Amino acid sequence: MRNVSDIIEQYLKSMLLESPQGLVEIQRNDLADRFSCVPSQINYVISTRFTLEKGYVVESKRGGGGYIRIQRIQLPAQHAIHTHLHQSIGEEISQSAAEGLIYQLEEAHFLSKREAGLMKAALSRDTLLLKLPYRDQLRARLLKAMLISLLAAK
């Protein structure tokens, strides 16, 4: 059974897919009423599942006419993917940033769920038993190599 956070996330993602501009504006209290939850639950979903690393830009305006705007960031065309990867990853990358990029590529259907899972396991701090910054440097080199190999085959 899915929890309320999963349901809210799926609802917002379906709204984004239906939006011709690729963005949605919501009022936190209206959404909380819709799902019979507290407004902080909406904040939690947005702050953990709609991050920049996962391919979203979130803006909020507080007050009487306040809103939360969520916009999906489009990945560059596949011919520019190598440049995008080198710029996004750099010389080192944290586990959370790597997982965010993998999530973004999976959401855009550049990676299968299985490929994403294998990559996350290989890049985990539990697998890469090195001290920082060596761990983040190795993670970046592995991530680039895996993505270039996988995306070249698509």
Side-chain angles (χ1 to χ4, degrees), residues 52-153:
L52 188 58
E53 292 88 5
K54 292 182 179 180
Y56 299 94
V57 173
V58 177
E59 298 175 52
S60 63
K61 180 181 174 238
R62 301 225 180 243
Y67 61 84
I68 297 173
R69 179 182 296 142
I70 304 170
Q71 184 170 7
R72 180 88 170 126
I73 300 171
Q74 297 301 315
L75 283 173
Q78 191 164 357
H79 67 276
I81 198 75
H82 291 260
T83 303
H84 177 69
L85 290 176
H86 285 286
Q87 290 173 346
S88 298
I89 298 169
E91 295 300 313
E92 57 185 62
I93 191 167
S94 68
Q95 181 173 339
S96 62
E99 288 177 352
L101 181 59
I102 292 167
Y103 175 86
Q104 187 179 8
L105 291 166
E106 182 183 359
E107 285 285 302
H109 304 290
F110 281 100
L111 298 176
S112 70
K113 187 175 187 85
R114 184 173 189 221
E115 290 166 340
L118 286 168
M119 291 177 71
K120 287 177 191 174
L123 299 173
S124 166
R125 68 180 57 88
D126 295 332
T127 303
L128 303 175
L129 297 174
L130 297 169
K131 293 187 186 274
L132 293 174
Y134 305 113
R135 180 174 59 218
D136 288 351
Q137 293 168 353
L138 178 58
R139 182 181 292 115
R141 293 195 343 242
L142 287 169
L143 181 58
K144 286 179 200 175
M146 286 189 278
L147 289 174
I148 288 169
S149 177
L150 284 169
L151 297 174

Side-chain angles (χ1 to χ4, degrees), residues 18-33:
E18 293 171 10
S19 168
Q21 301 91 8
L23 67 91
V24 295
E25 280 187 10
I26 56 167
Q27 294 206 323
R28 187 176 66 137
N29 289 334
D30 292 345
L31 202 55
D33 289 343

